[in-house]
Amino acid sequence: MEFRIDSAVLTDAVAWAARVLPARSPMPVLGGLLLEAAEGRLRVSGLDHEASARVEVEADTVVEGRALVLGRRLLDICKVLPRGYAGLAVEDARLSVTSGDARFGLSLLPLDDYPAPPSLPEFRGLVDGDAFAAAVGQVAVAAGRDDSLPVLTGIRLALDGPTMTVAATDRYRYAVRTLEWYPDLGVAAGGPGDTTGQADTTGPAAGFGEPADVVVPARRLTEIARSLAGGGPARLALDSGSIGFESGGMRTTTRLLDGRLPRHDKLFALGDHALAVTERSALTEAVKRVAVVAEGDSPVQLTFTASGVHLQAGYEDDVASQRLRGGLTGAESMTVAFNPGYLLDALTSLDAAEVRFHLLGPGQRALLTDAEEPAHRHLLMSVKPLV
């Protein structure tokens, strides 16, 4: 195998595929990246027991072939290559990498021991890469970090007709975002990939395909979503055990988590409640400001009235406060308190200029939105207000 490639393109491809490599593995070959050069293309693939990644880029192929090398070592080399073209070639039992005056050698791993990559699950439809990346980023902040409850470390992905729902919860907060997607072949009129301007009314797309409701590891899905941003429509594939995405020469799969997240429907139905509205960016900065005196996870208190909101944090002599403009309807005043980190996560995940607090009262759940009929909603449990 021998090929030449722009060093920056090589670095990006190796870095993308190396994301799935395990930190430790009893199988050394799982720490490898498979390089395949043929017909002016380079394919870089990596996998472990839970995920796989493959990317194809242009390369000047001199001799077609395959090589398996330690992925993280190759990535370290790529990061220090001089700008310009790099040459890679198999020489005896090693892979040589040259760029400018720099030259590196890498031992080859046995190809016969390398597992076959998983196939892409059943194709289910198309989703806009930018919209999907934004949605996942908005809800991922609410995903759990406790590995003793694996399902809570995931993001729910539900497909129902042309609507996709992504959601996450760690039991103390719950973020939900809905967005449009294009089931089946994505050829519904006006959807990505529609070159005819007419809908396909003969296949599963006419009925929007089968609904699905799965939980994907949050860390994996966040990485995948970021890589899809800016790439246009992405193909989504799904079966009973794994999910896959394909876009712009990149293909990745990851296993699903067992179990289901708790349903959010009843939690988000607040009934009679007070509504407070204030400027989101100003509130975000104010929370950051007063929280500097909050020790650990001690709360930030918000007192809403018809004329504004008063923030307070700290105890005894170490205190901070600030007043902002705003408004409250449904009550004369309402005092609630939140974990400052959770509150900031919620505020920064919203997009609009104003944030709306739907409030039941102190110590009860509060729903944050940025529109009257929002696509993104973030539920927080309030805590005991400051004395």
Side-chain angles (χ1 to χ4, degrees), residues 143-168:
R145 307 291 189 270
D146 185 359
D147 290 333
S148 65
L149 296 169
V151 70
L152 294 185
T153 66
I155 291 176
R156 177 190 178 211
L157 194 153
L159 309 176
D160 186 9
T163 300
M164 175 186 292
T165 301
V166 290

PDB file of all heavy atoms in Angstrom, residues 143-168:
ATOM      1  N   ALA A 143     -28.252  14.959  30.626  1.00  0.00           N
ATOM      2  CA  ALA A 143     -27.979  13.521  30.723  1.00  0.00           C
ATOM      3  C   ALA A 143     -27.205  13.216  31.996  1.00  0.00           C
ATOM      4  O   ALA A 143     -26.370  14.007  32.450  1.00  0.00           O
ATOM      5  CB  ALA A 143     -27.205  13.040  29.502  1.00  0.00           C
ATOM      6  N   GLY A 144     -27.464  12.054  32.585  1.00  0.00           N
ATOM      7  CA  GLY A 144     -26.791  11.672  33.818  1.00  0.00           C
ATOM      8  C   GLY A 144     -25.331  11.319  33.604  1.00  0.00           C
ATOM      9  O   GLY A 144     -24.892  11.024  32.493  1.00  0.00           O
ATOM     10  N   ARG A 145     -24.585  11.343  34.689  1.00  0.00           N
ATOM     11  CA  ARG A 145     -23.160  10.982  34.650  1.00  0.00           C
ATOM     12  C   ARG A 145     -22.875   9.744  35.487  1.00  0.00           C
ATOM     13  O   ARG A 145     -21.738   9.288  35.557  1.00  0.00           O
ATOM     14  CB  ARG A 145     -22.307  12.143  35.189  1.00  0.00           C
ATOM     15  CG  ARG A 145     -22.563  13.490  34.516  1.00  0.00           C
ATOM     16  CD  ARG A 145     -22.079  13.522  33.083  1.00  0.00           C
ATOM     17  NE  ARG A 145     -22.139  14.878  32.543  1.00  0.00           N
ATOM     18  CZ  ARG A 145     -23.177  15.393  31.931  1.00  0.00           C
ATOM     19  NH1 ARG A 145     -24.294  14.662  31.776  1.00  0.00           N
ATOM     20  NH2 ARG A 145     -23.171  16.628  31.458  1.00  0.00           N
ATOM     21  N   ASP A 146     -23.879   9.197  36.139  1.00  0.00           N
ATOM     22  CA  ASP A 146     -23.710   8.069  37.053  1.00  0.00           C
ATOM     23  C   ASP A 146     -23.825   6.761  36.281  1.00  0.00           C
ATOM     24  O   ASP A 146     -24.918   6.364  35.864  1.00  0.00           O
ATOM     25  CB  ASP A 146     -24.774   8.142  38.150  1.00  0.00           C
ATOM     26  CG  ASP A 146     -24.596   7.065  39.215  1.00  0.00           C
ATOM     27  OD1 ASP A 146     -23.655   6.249  39.079  1.00  0.00           O
ATOM     28  OD2 ASP A 146     -25.384   7.044  40.178  1.00  0.00           O
ATOM     29  N   ASP A 147     -22.702   6.082  36.114  1.00  0.00           N
ATOM     30  CA  ASP A 147     -22.697   4.841  35.330  1.00  0.00           C
ATOM     31  C   ASP A 147     -23.432   3.699  36.022  1.00  0.00           C
ATOM     32  O   ASP A 147     -23.667   2.655  35.406  1.00  0.00           O
ATOM     33  CB  ASP A 147     -21.265   4.418  35.018  1.00  0.00           C
ATOM     34  CG  ASP A 147     -20.602   5.348  34.009  1.00  0.00           C
ATOM     35  OD1 ASP A 147     -21.328   5.948  33.203  1.00  0.00           O
ATOM     36  OD2 ASP A 147     -19.361   5.484  34.042  1.00  0.00           O
ATOM     37  N   SER A 148     -23.766   3.866  37.316  1.00  0.00           N
ATOM     38  CA  SER A 148     -24.529   2.816  37.989  1.00  0.00           C
ATOM     39  C   SER A 148     -25.978   2.791  37.514  1.00  0.00           C
ATOM     40  O   SER A 148     -26.706   1.837  37.780  1.00  0.00           O
ATOM     41  CB  SER A 148     -24.483   3.012  39.507  1.00  0.00           C
ATOM     42  OG  SER A 148     -25.145   4.206  39.896  1.00  0.00           O
ATOM     43  N   LEU A 149     -26.405   3.853  36.817  1.00  0.00           N
ATOM     44  CA  LEU A 149     -27.732   3.925  36.203  1.00  0.00           C
ATOM     45  C   LEU A 149     -27.536   4.196  34.712  1.00  0.00           C
ATOM     46  O   LEU A 149     -27.735   5.314  34.242  1.00  0.00           O
ATOM     47  CB  LEU A 149     -28.568   5.037  36.853  1.00  0.00           C
ATOM     48  CG  LEU A 149     -28.894   4.848  38.342  1.00  0.00           C
ATOM     49  CD1 LEU A 149     -29.490   6.127  38.917  1.00  0.00           C
ATOM     50  CD2 LEU A 149     -29.850   3.673  38.530  1.00  0.00           C
ATOM     51  N   PRO A 150     -27.112   3.177  33.964  1.00  0.00           N
ATOM     52  CA  PRO A 150     -26.694   3.388  32.569  1.00  0.00           C
ATOM     53  C   PRO A 150     -27.731   4.081  31.704  1.00  0.00           C
ATOM     54  O   PRO A 150     -27.387   4.944  30.887  1.00  0.00           O
ATOM     55  CB  PRO A 150     -26.399   1.968  32.071  1.00  0.00           C
ATOM     56  CG  PRO A 150     -26.095   1.187  33.294  1.00  0.00           C
ATOM     57  CD  PRO A 150     -26.967   1.760  34.362  1.00  0.00           C
ATOM     58  N   VAL A 151     -29.018   3.733  31.846  1.00  0.00           N
ATOM     59  CA  VAL A 151     -30.015   4.307  30.944  1.00  0.00           C
ATOM     60  C   VAL A 151     -30.108   5.820  31.105  1.00  0.00           C
ATOM     61  O   VAL A 151     -30.402   6.542  30.140  1.00  0.00           O
ATOM     62  CB  VAL A 151     -31.396   3.639  31.164  1.00  0.00           C
ATOM     63  CG1 VAL A 151     -32.001   4.053  32.506  1.00  0.00           C
ATOM     64  CG2 VAL A 151     -32.351   3.974  30.014  1.00  0.00           C
ATOM     65  N   LEU A 152     -29.825   6.340  32.310  1.00  0.00           N
ATOM     66  CA  LEU A 152     -29.898   7.780  32.522  1.00  0.00           C
ATOM     67  C   LEU A 152     -28.692   8.513  31.949  1.00  0.00           C
ATOM     68  O   LEU A 152     -28.683   9.751  31.899  1.00  0.00           O
ATOM     69  CB  LEU A 152     -30.037   8.102  34.012  1.00  0.00           C
ATOM     70  CG  LEU A 152     -31.331   7.644  34.687  1.00  0.00           C
ATOM     71  CD1 LEU A 152     -31.383   8.135  36.127  1.00  0.00           C
ATOM     72  CD2 LEU A 152     -32.563   8.142  33.921  1.00  0.00           C
ATOM     73  N   THR A 153     -27.667   7.775  31.515  1.00  0.00           N
ATOM     74  CA  THR A 153     -26.530   8.410  30.844  1.00  0.00           C
ATOM     75  C   THR A 153     -26.760   8.507  29.343  1.00  0.00           C
ATOM     76  O   THR A 153     -25.862   8.885  28.601  1.00  0.00           O
ATOM     77  CB  THR A 153     -25.227   7.627  31.099  1.00  0.00           C
ATOM     78  OG1 THR A 153     -25.321   6.334  30.479  1.00  0.00           O
ATOM     79  CG2 THR A 153     -24.984   7.451  32.587  1.00  0.00           C
ATOM     80  N   GLY A 154     -27.973   8.163  28.909  1.00  0.00           N
ATOM     81  CA  GLY A 154     -28.285   8.177  27.488  1.00  0.00           C
ATOM     82  C   GLY A 154     -29.204   9.310  27.096  1.00  0.00           C
ATOM     83  O   GLY A 154     -29.725  10.059  27.937  1.00  0.00           O
ATOM     84  N   ILE A 155     -29.397   9.435  25.796  1.00  0.00           N
ATOM     85  CA  ILE A 155     -30.325  10.403  25.211  1.00  0.00           C
ATOM     86  C   ILE A 155     -31.413   9.618  24.490  1.00  0.00           C
ATOM     87  O   ILE A 155     -31.117   8.739  23.674  1.00  0.00           O
ATOM     88  CB  ILE A 155     -29.608  11.348  24.237  1.00  0.00           C
ATOM     89  CG1 ILE A 155     -28.668  12.282  25.007  1.00  0.00           C
ATOM     90  CG2 ILE A 155     -30.610  12.169  23.417  1.00  0.00           C
ATOM     91  CD1 ILE A 155     -27.845  13.197  24.119  1.00  0.00           C
ATOM     92  N   ARG A 156     -32.649   9.928  24.829  1.00  0.00           N
ATOM     93  CA  ARG A 156     -33.768   9.286  24.154  1.00  0.00           C
ATOM     94  C   ARG A 156     -33.910   9.861  22.752  1.00  0.00           C
ATOM     95  O   ARG A 156     -33.855  11.078  22.560  1.00  0.00           O
ATOM     96  CB  ARG A 156     -35.053   9.524  24.941  1.00  0.00           C
ATOM     97  CG  ARG A 156     -36.292   8.943  24.268  1.00  0.00           C
ATOM     98  CD  ARG A 156     -37.565   9.413  24.956  1.00  0.00           C
ATOM     99  NE  ARG A 156     -38.759   8.887  24.273  1.00  0.00           N
ATOM    100  CZ  ARG A 156     -39.914   9.525  24.228  1.00  0.00           C
ATOM    101  NH1 ARG A 156     -40.053  10.705  24.814  1.00  0.00           N
ATOM    102  NH2 ARG A 156     -40.943   8.992  23.588  1.00  0.00           N
ATOM    103  N   LEU A 157     -34.099   8.983  21.777  1.00  0.00           N
ATOM    104  CA  LEU A 157     -34.362   9.397  20.408  1.00  0.00           C
ATOM    105  C   LEU A 157     -35.631   8.676  19.969  1.00  0.00           C
ATOM    106  O   LEU A 157     -35.637   7.458  19.851  1.00  0.00           O
ATOM    107  CB  LEU A 157     -33.185   9.067  19.503  1.00  0.00           C
ATOM    108  CG  LEU A 157     -33.159   9.730  18.122  1.00  0.00           C
ATOM    109  CD1 LEU A 157     -31.737   9.871  17.612  1.00  0.00           C
ATOM    110  CD2 LEU A 157     -33.989   8.940  17.116  1.00  0.00           C
ATOM    111  N   ALA A 158     -36.687   9.443  19.762  1.00  0.00           N
ATOM    112  CA  ALA A 158     -37.976   8.871  19.386  1.00  0.00           C
ATOM    113  C   ALA A 158     -38.363   9.373  18.010  1.00  0.00           C
ATOM    114  O   ALA A 158     -38.255  10.578  17.717  1.00  0.00           O
ATOM    115  CB  ALA A 158     -39.048   9.246  20.407  1.00  0.00           C
ATOM    116  N   LEU A 159     -38.802   8.471  17.154  1.00  0.00           N
ATOM    117  CA  LEU A 159     -39.237   8.789  15.805  1.00  0.00           C
ATOM    118  C   LEU A 159     -40.726   8.509  15.709  1.00  0.00           C
ATOM    119  O   LEU A 159     -41.170   7.383  15.948  1.00  0.00           O
ATOM    120  CB  LEU A 159     -38.474   7.946  14.783  1.00  0.00           C
ATOM    121  CG  LEU A 159     -36.941   7.944  14.897  1.00  0.00           C
ATOM    122  CD1 LEU A 159     -36.340   6.982  13.878  1.00  0.00           C
ATOM    123  CD2 LEU A 159     -36.389   9.351  14.728  1.00  0.00           C
ATOM    124  N   ASP A 160     -41.482   9.539  15.364  1.00  0.00           N
ATOM    125  CA  ASP A 160     -42.933   9.386  15.257  1.00  0.00           C
ATOM    126  C   ASP A 160     -43.407  10.228  14.085  1.00  0.00           C
ATOM    127  O   ASP A 160     -43.527  11.442  14.191  1.00  0.00           O
ATOM    128  CB  ASP A 160     -43.614   9.831  16.555  1.00  0.00           C
ATOM    129  CG  ASP A 160     -45.115   9.548  16.533  1.00  0.00           C
ATOM    130  OD1 ASP A 160     -45.581   8.860  15.609  1.00  0.00           O
ATOM    131  OD2 ASP A 160     -45.822  10.033  17.449  1.00  0.00           O
ATOM    132  N   GLY A 161     -43.646   9.568  12.944  1.00  0.00           N
ATOM    133  CA  GLY A 161     -43.995  10.318  11.741  1.00  0.00           C
ATOM    134  C   GLY A 161     -42.851  11.233  11.355  1.00  0.00           C
ATOM    135  O   GLY A 161     -41.678  10.853  11.402  1.00  0.00           O
ATOM    136  N   PRO A 162     -43.149  12.484  10.991  1.00  0.00           N
ATOM    137  CA  PRO A 162     -42.094  13.415  10.586  1.00  0.00           C
ATOM    138  C   PRO A 162     -41.438  14.138  11.756  1.00  0.00           C
ATOM    139  O   PRO A 162     -40.674  15.074  11.559  1.00  0.00           O
ATOM    140  CB  PRO A 162     -42.842  14.404   9.693  1.00  0.00           C
ATOM    141  CG  PRO A 162     -44.219  14.451  10.287  1.00  0.00           C
ATOM    142  CD  PRO A 162     -44.499  13.049  10.774  1.00  0.00           C
ATOM    143  N   THR A 163     -41.756  13.734  12.996  1.00  0.00           N
ATOM    144  CA  THR A 163     -41.219  14.396  14.180  1.00  0.00           C
ATOM    145  C   THR A 163     -40.213  13.506  14.886  1.00  0.00           C
ATOM    146  O   THR A 163     -40.471  12.335  15.150  1.00  0.00           O
ATOM    147  CB  THR A 163     -42.346  14.757  15.163  1.00  0.00           C
ATOM    148  OG1 THR A 163     -43.270  15.634  14.526  1.00  0.00           O
ATOM    149  CG2 THR A 163     -41.784  15.444  16.402  1.00  0.00           C
ATOM    150  N   MET A 164     -39.059  14.078  15.184  1.00  0.00           N
ATOM    151  CA  MET A 164     -38.043  13.424  15.984  1.00  0.00           C
ATOM    152  C   MET A 164     -37.989  14.121  17.341  1.00  0.00           C
ATOM    153  O   MET A 164     -37.968  15.350  17.417  1.00  0.00           O
ATOM    154  CB  MET A 164     -36.670  13.501  15.304  1.00  0.00           C
ATOM    155  CG  MET A 164     -35.521  12.932  16.140  1.00  0.00           C
ATOM    156  SD  MET A 164     -33.899  13.195  15.370  1.00  0.00           S
ATOM    157  CE  MET A 164     -34.023  12.119  13.942  1.00  0.00           C
ATOM    158  N   THR A 165     -37.955  13.339  18.414  1.00  0.00           N
ATOM    159  CA  THR A 165     -37.833  13.874  19.759  1.00  0.00           C
ATOM    160  C   THR A 165     -36.536  13.382  20.371  1.00  0.00           C
ATOM    161  O   THR A 165     -36.262  12.181  20.373  1.00  0.00           O
ATOM    162  CB  THR A 165     -39.011  13.439  20.650  1.00  0.00           C
ATOM    163  OG1 THR A 165     -40.234  13.894  20.079  1.00  0.00           O
ATOM    164  CG2 THR A 165     -38.876  14.014  22.052  1.00  0.00           C
ATOM    165  N   VAL A 166     -35.732  14.316  20.882  1.00  0.00           N
ATOM    166  CA  VAL A 166     -34.534  13.941  21.634  1.00  0.00           C
ATOM    167  C   VAL A 166     -34.713  14.457  23.052  1.00  0.00           C
ATOM    168  O   VAL A 166     -35.219  15.567  23.264  1.00  0.00           O
ATOM    169  CB  VAL A 166     -33.239  14.494  20.990  1.00  0.00           C
ATOM    170  CG1 VAL A 166     -32.935  13.789  19.698  1.00  0.00           C
ATOM    171  CG2 VAL A 166     -33.333  15.996  20.758  1.00  0.00           C
ATOM    172  N   ALA A 167     -34.314  13.656  24.041  1.00  0.00           N
ATOM    173  CA  ALA A 167     -34.564  14.011  25.435  1.00  0.00           C
ATOM    174  C   ALA A 167     -33.515  13.374  26.325  1.00  0.00           C
ATOM    175  O   ALA A 167     -32.919  12.350  25.991  1.00  0.00           O
ATOM    176  CB  ALA A 167     -35.964  13.554  25.853  1.00  0.00           C
ATOM    177  N   ALA A 168     -33.290  13.991  27.493  1.00  0.00           N
ATOM    178  CA  ALA A 168     -32.335  13.454  28.464  1.00  0.00           C
ATOM    179  C   ALA A 168     -32.748  13.891  29.861  1.00  0.00           C
ATOM    180  O   ALA A 168     -33.320  14.972  30.041  1.00  0.00           O
ATOM    181  CB  ALA A 168     -30.920  13.930  28.156  1.00  0.00           C
TER     182      ALA A 168
END
